[in-house]
Structure formats: C-alpha cells, structure tokens
Amino acid sequence: MLFGRDKSPDERCAEWRRRIIRILLSEMQASAKSHQLESVFDIPQEVSGSYEIEEILNIPYMNRHEVALGMDIYKPVMPETAEMPVIVTLYGGGLVQGDRKSSRPYARELASRGYLVFAIEYRLVPKVNCTEQFDDVCAGLDLVGRKLIDFNVDFSRLFLTGSSAGAFLALYVAAMKKSEKLQKAIGHKASRFKFKAVGLDCGMLYTNKQDPVGLLLADLFYGEKRDDPEFLRYTDPENPEIIDNLPPVFLNTSRGDFINKYTLTYHKALKKAGKPSKLVYYGDKGLFHAFVGSFPWLDKSRDAIDKMLAWFEEQADIARERSWEEKPSDK
C-alpha cells in the first residue's frame, strides 16, 4: 500500500512533515556527535573552585522499562567528615541531541565548589517522546537517591539544574513530585527525590507556542501523546498544577539567548503565582543560548553559577528554618 493512501490530505501532509523533521533531527544528532568528538580537546580543563575532583564515570543502570542508561558522578575531594550538598544536572540539546558527557565541564565546575554532582542520561527524540524522557530522568533520580548512601551528604541541600532542554525536563520532573494529576497525565510515576530548589539555564520551557519550536517540533516532542487532551493541558508550563508544585526556581538567560523570552516570560508567571524565584539576566549579545551549561569557564557563566549557588543555599536555609518552626513543641 502506498504511504498514506487511507488517510486524508491533511493527515498525509502532517505525516510527511513529521517524517522530514525526523530525518533532519537524525542528521542533527549525527552532526552533534561528530562535533563533540572534534571539540573535546578544545574544552578548557581549569575550574574556579578550590576542590580537587574525583570522577566516577559510566555507571550503567536500567530504567524502569529495562532500557540501558548511564550516569556520571563528580565528587569534590574533602574530609570524610564533611557533608556535601548535592546537585543533579540535566544536559540540553533540544531533546533531540546531546548526552551526559556534554555536562562534564559544568559538572566539574560545580564539584570544584564543593558539590557532589550527578549527571544523568535520557533517551532522545524522535526515538522516544518527552513523557518517556521524563520517566528516564525520574529513573535516574531514583538511582541517585540510592547512591547517596555511599557518600556523606547533607540531605537538606539537594538541588536540580538543567540547561536548555534539560531545564524543560527539570521543570516537569520537579513538579511531578508533588502532583498526582501531572503524573497521571504524563503516564509515569515521579521520582522519590525531593529538591530544595531548581536552576534553569536558558530554559526551553515552552513547547506549545506558535513559534519554530512549537510548530516544527511539538508533534515529535509529544509523540502519541499529541492526541491526548488530558496531557495537552499540561504542555503549558504556566498551568497552575505545574507552577504550584514547583520548588523555588532560579533562572538565567542573556540577550544573546535566542529563546530568552521563554525565561523572561516564565519568571513573570512564577512571580504572579507567588512562587519564590530569582532571575539573572545578562545584556551581552555574545552570551549565546545555554552559555552557563555549555561554557561554564566564561566569566559571566561563573558569575551566574555564583549567584545560583548562593540562592540555592539561601533557599535551603529558609526550608530548614521553616521545618524547625513547624516542629511540635517539646512542652
């Protein structure tokens, strides 16, 4: 049977569009892998923190559906009695490219400042849709939770960061933790991991707008879920079920970020909803999209990291104080 003979002209057009986009994305993924191999030796190795770093790489694990994934750990070298705060980081790539190796410079920078850093993996569109990516991340977070017993960590200082598409994933998996409605619509359970704050670097936070991201890629991002009206309600990250269930959120972007409006718009939505949030905006045209996660050795990137970590610690302090105040009286 010829392709699409049993479908309407609109359905055939949509299917051909999806096929063409899949081909383009496959080419982008192949090109990105080649570029990563070519540029790996060009990445500066110096970090700004004072701690040496122990790297525990290529830890294999199976996700909830027995798909093989991997994780890397970056541990600051410090006295065994010192409790380490924890950061889990998610790489970017538009949901269609990238891997956890691309997180290495950023993870090393964070670890050099005394944070135990986990870089976890997720599968890519178009082989999976974004809900399956959420599940990959949640499975990775559960593994992180199990790994924490191997280290001396401060459980009051657990944080999540994501760059570009990683920020999109971080936003949703953080909200899933407290929302059964969101879990049901997505079709996967949340991780047991609970974060004190989330950091979003130049987040690809909107996938449902009438712009190049939404018009060209939304069908592939959503996959079979694109026909699920219950799920589609939550493709708007400003949905109260998402915003109301988020931990405090740190956001950064720049004038040179081609989707900086996503970050600026979402910060306004967070403020309107009364959610604790902090925005750092740089007016430099030369600071491109996802500059912090991709180029953490730049002065402005390190400045953004300084501000994010300071704000993370502030939110952890607030949470500890609130927890203490809520404890029942000993009387």
Side-chain angles (χ1 to χ4, degrees):
M1 180 181 291
L2 293 176
F3 170 74
R5 176 177 290 177
D6 57 339
K7 297 182 179 181
S8 70
D10 287 344
E11 289 174 330
R12 290 197 297 271
C13 180
E15 184 63 27
W16 275 115
R17 181 167 64 90
R18 285 193 288 270
R19 287 194 170 197
I20 292 170
I21 292 173
R22 286 191 181 98
I23 293 171
L24 292 174
L25 292 180
S26 296
E27 291 296 322
M28 287 173 58
Q29 290 168 355
S31 175
K33 288 182 179 179
S34 175
H35 178 71
Q36 286 172 359
L37 291 174
E38 293 173 356
S39 63
V40 66
F41 297 107
D42 299 329
I43 298 174
Q45 297 299 311
E46 70 272 10
V47 291
S48 66
S50 59
Y51 291 96
E52 294 183 5
I53 305 162
E54 176 187 355
E55 298 184 0
I56 309 168
L57 305 178
N58 303 317
I59 301 170
Y61 67 97
M62 307 293 282
N63 75 358
R64 296 165 174 176
H65 302 282
E66 298 187 348
V67 175
L69 297 171
M71 179 176 70
D72 297 330
I73 303 174
Y74 301 82
K75 178 185 177 297
V77 178
M78 58 176 57
E80 292 184 2
T81 56
E83 290 188 338
M84 295 175 289
V86 176
I87 292 179
V88 181
T89 187
L90 304 176
Y91 54 87
L95 301 181
V96 303
Q97 62 186 29
D99 59 40
R100 69 182 188 281
K101 294 178 183 177
S102 63
S103 300
R104 187 164 295 170
Y106 179 65
R108 286 180 55 83
E109 177 65 27
L110 296 174
S112 78
R113 294 157 178 257
Y115 289 79
L116 178 62
V117 182
F118 294 82
I120 60 178
E121 192 170 34
Y122 56 89
R123 292 168 292 168
L124 301 175
V125 168
K127 290 185 177 180
V128 298
N129 63 46
C130 66
T131 66
E132 294 168 297
Q133 291 176 319
F134 296 149
D135 192 49
D136 284 351
V137 172
C138 288
L141 293 177
D142 285 342
L143 175 63
V144 172
R146 295 192 295 272
K147 285 288 184 182
L148 290 185
I149 63 173
D150 297 333
F151 303 94
N152 188 17
V153 303
D154 183 348
F155 286 92
S156 70
R157 298 157 71 197
L158 306 179
F159 310 108
L160 176 64
T161 70
S163 185
S164 186
F168 165 79
L169 297 174
L171 183 78
Y172 274 82
V173 299
M176 284 171 66
K177 172 64 181 177
K178 295 175 63 177
S179 173
E180 292 185 3
K181 290 181 180 180
L182 189 56
Q183 292 177 46
K184 183 178 179 181
I186 288 172
H188 297 287
K189 293 182 179 180
S191 165
R192 295 186 294 273
F193 219 106
K194 184 178 181 180
F195 296 99
K196 298 301 180 183
V198 177
L200 309 179
D201 168 35
C202 300
M204 190 187 77
L205 305 177
Y206 293 87
T207 58
N208 64 341
K209 288 184 175 293
Q210 296 297 300
D211 63 9
V213 172
L215 292 173
L216 292 177
L217 298 176
D219 275 1
L220 291 180
F221 290 164
Y222 305 156
E224 62 186 19
K225 285 287 190 177
R226 64 180 174 267
D227 298 320
D228 181 351
E230 183 64 20
F231 168 74
L232 293 177
R233 292 175 52 201
Y234 299 109
T235 58
D236 180 359
E238 296 182 26
N239 186 300
E241 193 65 26
I242 296 172
I243 284 188
D244 292 347
N245 287 300
L246 287 172
V249 181
F250 177 93
L251 311 95
N252 69 261
T253 188
S254 66
R255 190 177 179 187
D257 175 12
F258 73 101
I259 54 170
N260 58 29
K261 289 185 178 179
Y262 288 6
T263 296
L264 301 176
T265 300
Y266 203 63
H267 181 248
K268 289 181 180 179
L270 290 167
K271 287 296 185 183
K272 184 177 180 180
K275 294 296 295 185
S277 63
K278 181 178 178 64
L279 169 68
V280 174
Y281 177 82
Y282 296 92
D284 309 48
K285 287 185 176 180
L287 290 178
F288 299 113
H289 176 65
F291 64 98
V292 176
S294 300
F295 311 105
W297 55 85
L298 299 177
D299 289 342
K300 293 294 176 63
S301 297
R302 288 176 173 173
D303 181 71
I305 292 171
D306 287 341
K307 290 180 169 60
M308 180 184 73
L309 296 180
W311 195 76
F312 277 1
E313 296 298 341
E314 179 183 336
Q315 298 309 306
D317 288 342
I318 292 171
R320 278 192 294 268
E321 291 175 4
R322 184 178 298 118
S323 177
W324 179 260
E325 292 172 354
E326 293 174 353
K327 286 183 178 180
S329 172
D330 294 332
K331 295 182 180 179

